[in-house]
Amino acid sequence: MGRGPKSGDTSWEGQTEAAGTDTWTWAALSGREAEGRAQGHCCAHVVLSPNLMQPPPDETRRDAAENVQWSRPECQVWTGTLLLGTCLLYCARVTMPVCTVAMSQDFGWNKKEAGIVLSSFFWGYCLTQVMGGHLGDRIGGEKVILLSATTWGSITMATPLLAHLGSAHLVSMVFSRVLMGLLQGVYFPALTSLLSQRVRESERAFTYSTVGAGSQFGMLVTGAVGSLLLDWCGWQSVFYFSGGLTLLWVCYVYRPHPDPGCPGTRLVHGQALQSALETALSEAFCLGWIFNVVPWLVAIPASLFSGFLSDHLISQGYTTIVVRKLMQVMGLGLSSVFALCLGHTSSFLKAVVFASASIGLQTFNHSGISVNIQDLAPSCAGFLFGVANTAGALAGVVGVCLGGYLIEATGSWTCVFNLVAVISILGLGTFLVFGQAQRVDLSPAREDL
C-alpha cells in the first residue's frame, strides 16, 4: 500500500499490489477545505472510485455462472421435470405418424399425401430453431419451454377439430403440422441454453442424455398407449391424450412451489435418421405394436448409459473432445451400420433387432455433438444449437418427402435407409475432422478442454 495524500494535494493516485487490478483513487480535499474541516473537528474523508478493486472480466463471468447453477437437489428436480417435458413433446410429435394410417383411410390419402403431412412438421420446425435459442439465452430457457408447451399442447388437442373443418382435410392437417413444428422448434435450443447455464460441466452429459431419453420414452408411450387408444376409441383420442397430458404438465410446472429452486418460480445426420424412422413408424404400425414399443424401450437405458459413460471417461482423464467423438462414432457410425442391415433384411425378428440397435445407439448423440455445443459456448449455446438444428430440420423436410417418394416408386425401404447411412457417415466424418471442444465464449482468455 502506498503512502497517504500529503496536506494540500488536490488528488493522489495510490499504488496497488502488483496483481493487475484497478488502482485505488484517493480524492483529497483541497488545502482550504481540509483546514476548515480540521477547525470543525471533522476528519478528512476518502472517496473511492466506483470501479474499486473489480476482478477481471473472465473471473466475474465465471463467478456469475457458478451463482446461477443449480444445486444437486435442484438439478435432480429439474432433470425429472424436463425429462417428462421432453417425453410429452415427443408424445405430441409422434401422434400424427401413429395415426397416419387410420387418417389416410378416413380421408383417402395416398402415401405421397401422407408423406407431405408428415414432412410439413419440419417446414415449421426449421424456422424457429435460432429464435428459440436466442430467446433462451436472453430471457431464460424455462420461460420459452413453458410458453411453447402451452401452445403445442393446445394445438394437439385441437387437431381433430381442424381435420373436420371443411373438406380440405389435407390442407388443414398440413397447416396444423407446420404450426406444430413452429411451436416445438424452440424447445431443444431453449433446453440447451437452460442446461448449459445451470448444470455443472462435470454433470452435463449425464443430465442432457437423461433429459434426452424423454424423446424415446415419448415414442414408447405413444406407441403403446396410442396404439391401444387407436384400436379402442379412434385416432382422435390419441390427439386428446397427448395434448391433454402436455397441458397438465404445464400447469404442474407453472404452479407456485415452496422451494424457489423447484420448477415453476442434433445436426443433419441425426435428424435424417430420426425423420426416416418416424416416417417408418406409421408404416410399422401395420406390422404390429412391437415396432412401436421395443426400439424406444431399448433407447431409454442406452441414452442414460451414454451420459454416464461420457462423464465417467472425462473424470478418468480423457480429453473432452476425444470422448465427444467417441460418442459420435457410436451414435452415427455404428448406428448407420444397423440402419443398413435394417434395409436389407426380410425377417421380422431381425428387423426389430436392427431397428432397436440403430435407435438405441442414436441416443449416444446426446453425449456427443449435442453436449459439444455447450462445451464450446455455454453463454450462447441455445443460439448455436438453434443454428445447428436448423440444418437438421432441413434434412428432415427433404428426408421425409424423399422417403415417401422413394417408397412410392420402389415399394421398399432399402433405398431410404441406404440414404440415411450415407448422410450419417458424411456427418460423422465432418465432426471427426473438424470437431473441437475449446471454449470460445471467454474473452480474451480461452479455456482448452
Side-chain angles (χ1 to χ4, degrees):
M1 186 66 68
R3 295 171 299 171
K6 295 180 180 180
S7 177
D9 289 343
T10 57
S11 64
W12 176 76
E13 297 292 334
Q15 300 295 325
T16 62
E17 298 178 1
T21 57
D22 296 332
T23 59
W24 292 72
T25 303
W26 295 76
L29 300 173
S30 64
R32 182 178 301 175
E33 291 174 337
E35 183 178 352
R37 297 270 186 174
Q39 294 175 356
H41 304 285
C42 295
C43 61
H45 287 73
V46 176
V47 182
L48 302 181
S49 65
N51 59 349
L52 173 63
M53 292 296 290
Q54 291 182 349
D58 293 348
E59 183 179 341
T60 302
R61 185 176 299 179
R62 291 192 185 96
D63 291 342
E66 291 177 358
N67 291 334
V68 300
Q69 287 180 341
W70 292 324
S71 64
R72 186 174 294 274
E74 290 174 345
C75 186
Q76 292 172 351
V77 172
W78 272 102
T79 299
T81 302
L82 294 172
L83 169 65
L84 182 57
T86 305
C87 168
L88 294 173
L89 176 133
Y90 268 81
C91 282
R93 176 172 171 171
V94 181
T95 296
M96 181 65 77
V98 169
C99 298
T100 297
V101 173
M103 296 177 71
S104 298
Q105 294 173 354
D106 286 353
F107 302 132
W109 298 339
N110 57 33
K111 290 187 177 180
K112 287 183 179 179
E113 292 173 332
I116 292 174
V117 172
L118 294 176
S119 65
S120 59
F121 172 88
F122 292 97
W123 302 351
Y125 190 73
C126 65
L127 296 178
T128 53
Q129 296 287 323
V130 176
M131 182 183 70
H134 177 70
L135 289 176
D137 293 335
R138 298 286 292 181
I139 67 175
E142 64 276 13
K143 297 178 181 178
V144 178
I145 289 172
L146 282 176
L147 180 60
S148 64
T150 302
T151 49
W152 93 59
S154 301
I155 291 296
T156 302
M157 290 196 68
T159 298
L161 177 62
L162 294 174
H164 292 91
L165 287 178
S167 58
H169 309 296
L170 183 63
V171 174
S172 61
M173 286 298 93
V174 168
F175 172 76
S176 173
R177 291 294 286 175
V178 171
L179 189 57
M180 177 72 72
L182 288 170
L183 298 172
Q184 291 198 352
V186 303
Y187 182 87
F188 280 106
L191 176 66
T192 301
S193 175
L194 178 63
L195 296 183
S196 67
Q197 297 176 26
R198 297 300 186 91
V199 178
R200 292 181 176 86
E201 184 179 321
S202 60
E203 303 173 353
R204 190 171 290 162
F206 181 76
T207 301
Y208 196 92
S209 60
T210 301
V211 173
S215 59
Q216 288 76 42
F217 191 62
M219 297 276 195
L220 174 63
V221 170
T222 306
V225 180
S227 299
L228 295 176
L229 290 174
L230 193 60
D231 288 339
W232 295 346
C233 308
W235 59 266
Q236 296 91 341
S237 62
V238 185
F239 286 94
Y240 296 143
F241 170 76
S242 56
L245 286 181
T246 300
L247 294 179
L248 288 176
W249 177 79
V250 171
C251 292
Y252 165 75
V253 177
Y254 191 73
R255 69 185 179 88
H257 289 258
D259 184 358
C262 293
T265 31
R266 285 157 298 288
L267 294 176
V268 173
H269 37 269
Q271 286 284 358
L273 177 59
Q274 188 174 44
S275 61
L277 291 172
E278 286 180 7
T279 307
L281 188 61
S282 61
E283 189 79 10
F285 178 75
C286 299
L287 301 176
W289 64 271
I290 295 178
F291 260 115
N292 288 348
V293 174
V294 174
W296 318 116
L297 194 61
V298 172
I300 294 173
S303 180
L304 298 176
F305 174 73
S306 70
F308 170 79
L309 178 62
S310 178
D311 287 341
H312 176 71
L313 291 176
I314 292 175
S315 67
Q316 295 299 310
Y318 292 90
T319 59
T320 301
I321 189 58
V322 169
V323 176
R324 302 296 184 236
K325 290 182 177 181
L326 175 62
M327 296 297 107
Q328 284 305 120
V329 170
M330 302 290 289
L332 290 180
L334 195 54
S335 176
S336 64
V337 172
F338 285 104
L340 283 174
C341 296
L342 178 61
H344 292 82
T345 184
S346 58
S347 169
F348 179 78
L349 178 60
K350 290 182 179 179
V352 173
V353 172
F354 293 149
S356 301
S358 181
I359 295 174
L361 288 169
Q362 187 192 359
T363 63
F364 280 69
N365 293 324
H366 295 154
S367 302
I369 184 65
S370 297
V371 182
N372 182 240
I373 294 176
Q374 302 178 38
D375 298 330
L376 293 171
S379 64
C380 55
F383 174 80
L384 293 178
F385 186 90
V387 173
N389 216 32
T390 298
L394 291 174
V397 173
V398 176
V400 176
C401 291
L402 183 59
Y405 172 78
L406 292 175
I407 295 170
E408 191 77 19
T410 65
S412 171
W413 281 91
T414 301
C415 54
V416 176
F417 288 107
N418 288 344
L419 178 62
V420 167
V422 170
I423 295 175
S424 297
I425 295 301
L426 289 176
L428 175 62
T430 302
F431 184 69
L432 291 179
V433 173
F434 298 105
Q436 298 291 333
Q438 185 182 50
R439 185 168 180 177
V440 297
D441 65 340
L442 291 178
S443 177
R446 290 187 176 181
E447 183 177 330
D448 192 354
L449 299 178

